[in-house]
Amino acid sequence: MIILLFAFIILFITVLQAFTPKFLKPTEAFGIYVPDQYTLEPTIVRLKKRYTGVVLMSGLIALAGYLFWALTQNPVEETLVLLGVGVQFVTLFISIGYYFIMHVRVKKLKKEQGWLTGKNEVRVVDVQFQQKLHLLPRVMFIIPMIVTVSLIIYTYMKYPEIPDMIPTHWGLSGQPDAFSEKTYFISIALPLMLLVLQGMFLMMSEGMKFSGARINPANKKTSLTQQLAFRKYTSWFALFISVSMTLMFGYFHLQTIHPEIGSAWITFSIPVTFLVAVFLAVAIYAVKVGQSGSRIKVDDSSPSLEDKVAIDEDRYWKGGMFYFNKEDPSIMVEKRFGVGWTLNFAHPVSWIVLIVPLLLIFGITFLL
C-alpha cells in the first residue's frame, strides 16, 4: 500500500511538471513574455514539446527504478519512505533545472528575433476590475478558523481528561509513533498550526482582490473574462483546501481527546483520502482553468491589434520565477510558470506574509 501511495505521488508530480507548458498562457513561455504574433513560433513549440518529453521520460524512469528497488529489495518502511521522498525531490529538481535551460533559450530567441521591435507597448487597465470580481466572501474562510478556535476552547475544557502523553506523529501504518508530555501548549499545537494555514488561505483570497490584472491588449475582452474566471475558481480552490485541512486536522486533534474514536485504519485512510482529493482538485484546476484562466473558452473575442503588445515585464522576473517590482503595489501576482500565485518580493509586506507563517509553523513544530 505504501509503495502504491508513493508511486501515485511521483507519477502525479511527473505528469503535472511535464505538461505545465500546456496550462500556461500562450503569451508566456518558460517565464518569458511572448507577443501574440510569436506564440506559435516553431522554436517555442519545439522547446515546449522537448521539455514535456524530457521531464516525463526522466520522471517515469525514476518511478520505474523506485518500484523495481522497492519490489525486489523488500526494504523496511522507513527506508521506503525516505527514498520515496527523495525520488520526488529528484523529479522536481530535474524539471526545474530543465526549465531554466529552456528559459535561457527563449530569452535568447526573443532578443535575436526582436519580438518587440516596432511594437507599441501598452498597459490595459480596467478601473472596474475589482467590482467585477466574484470571489468568495471573506466569511467563508473565517468559518473554518472559527471551527479551529472552537476546537482550542473545547480542548481546554477537556484538558483534565486528555491522556498524560499526547501523540504528535503517526506512522504510515496509522499508529502513533511519537509522543509528548501533556502541557497546555502541546494540547493545542495541532489546532494552532491549522489556524496559521487557514490564515494563509484567507490572505491569499484577500490578496487576489488587490492584485493588478494583466490584460492582453491584443485580446482585451477574452483576457479580462479569463482573468475574472481564474480568480473566482482560485478562490473556490483555496476554500476547498482550507476546509479539507480543517476536517483532517480536526479529526486527528479530537482523537487525542477521545482516543476511542480512532483506529489505525481510519488514521491511515484520512490523510490518503485528503492527498488524493487535493491532487484531483489540482489536476482539474490546471486542466480546466489553467494559468490566468487561459484554458477557459470565451466566445466573445476582441480583434487582435498587431501593432500593440503588453508591457514587457521580463526585467522584473528573475529567472522567470521570482517577481521583484517596487513600482507594483500588488503583494501577490500570477505565476509565469506554474498554475497559481507568487509574491512580489520587492514589496515589504510580501516578506511578512511569507516569513511570519513559516516561523509560526516551525516554532510550533520545534516545541512539540
Side-chain angles (χ1 to χ4, degrees), residues 173-331:
S173 62
Q175 297 289 349
D177 54 13
F179 297 83
S180 293
E181 187 176 349
K182 181 177 71 172
T183 65
Y184 282 103
F185 175 78
I186 295 296
S187 67
I188 63 168
L190 198 60
L192 285 177
M193 191 177 299
L194 174 60
L195 199 59
V196 173
L197 295 172
Q198 291 168 333
M200 293 174 67
F201 283 106
L202 173 61
M203 288 189 292
M204 177 182 176
S205 180
E206 292 297 303
M208 286 190 295
K209 295 179 182 178
F210 306 103
S211 175
R214 269 62 175 178
I215 300 175
N216 185 358
N219 210 334
K220 292 181 287 187
K221 291 182 180 180
T222 298
S223 181
L224 176 61
T225 301
Q226 290 177 334
Q227 284 268 333
L228 293 170
F230 173 63
R231 299 181 190 221
K232 179 182 72 173
Y233 290 124
T234 301
S235 181
W236 278 98
F237 177 75
L239 180 65
F240 171 77
I241 301 298
S242 181
V243 171
S244 299
M245 286 195 312
T246 303
L247 293 174
M248 182 177 66
F249 278 60
Y251 167 78
F252 280 112
H253 180 68
L254 287 174
Q255 189 180 10
T256 64
I257 304 174
H258 303 286
E260 67 276 5
I261 69 172
S263 70
W265 170 247
I266 296 177
T267 303
F268 172 79
S269 62
I270 286 181
V272 172
T273 302
F274 169 78
L275 189 65
V276 172
V278 169
F279 280 179
L280 288 175
V282 170
I284 294 172
Y285 177 69
V287 173
K288 294 296 185 181
V289 180
Q291 181 61 6
S292 299
S294 58
R295 297 184 65 85
I296 297 175
K297 303 300 181 182
V298 180
D299 295 330
D300 186 16
S301 299
S302 58
S304 177
L305 304 177
E306 297 294 337
D307 63 332
K308 290 183 172 62
V309 297
I311 296 291
D312 185 8
E313 296 185 335
D314 286 357
R315 63 188 180 278
Y316 300 126
W317 287 91
K318 310 306 178 184
M321 285 191 172
F322 305 101
Y323 184 69
F324 291 83
N325 186 357
K326 295 180 179 179
E327 300 175 358
D328 188 348
S330 301
I331 298 174

Side-chain angles (χ1 to χ4, degrees), residues 78-117:
E78 291 77 9
T79 306
L80 192 65
V81 171
L82 184 62
L83 190 62
V85 173
V87 173
Q88 294 173 39
F89 278 104
V90 168
T91 56
L92 287 173
F93 287 149
I94 291 174
S95 64
I96 293 173
Y98 202 58
Y99 157 81
F100 278 112
I101 294 175
M102 297 294 104
H103 172 79
V104 172
R105 291 182 180 178
V106 175
K107 184 177 182 180
K108 181 180 179 182
L109 180 68
K110 180 178 181 178
K111 183 178 180 180
E112 290 176 346
Q113 296 188 357
W115 291 349
L116 299 179
T117 303

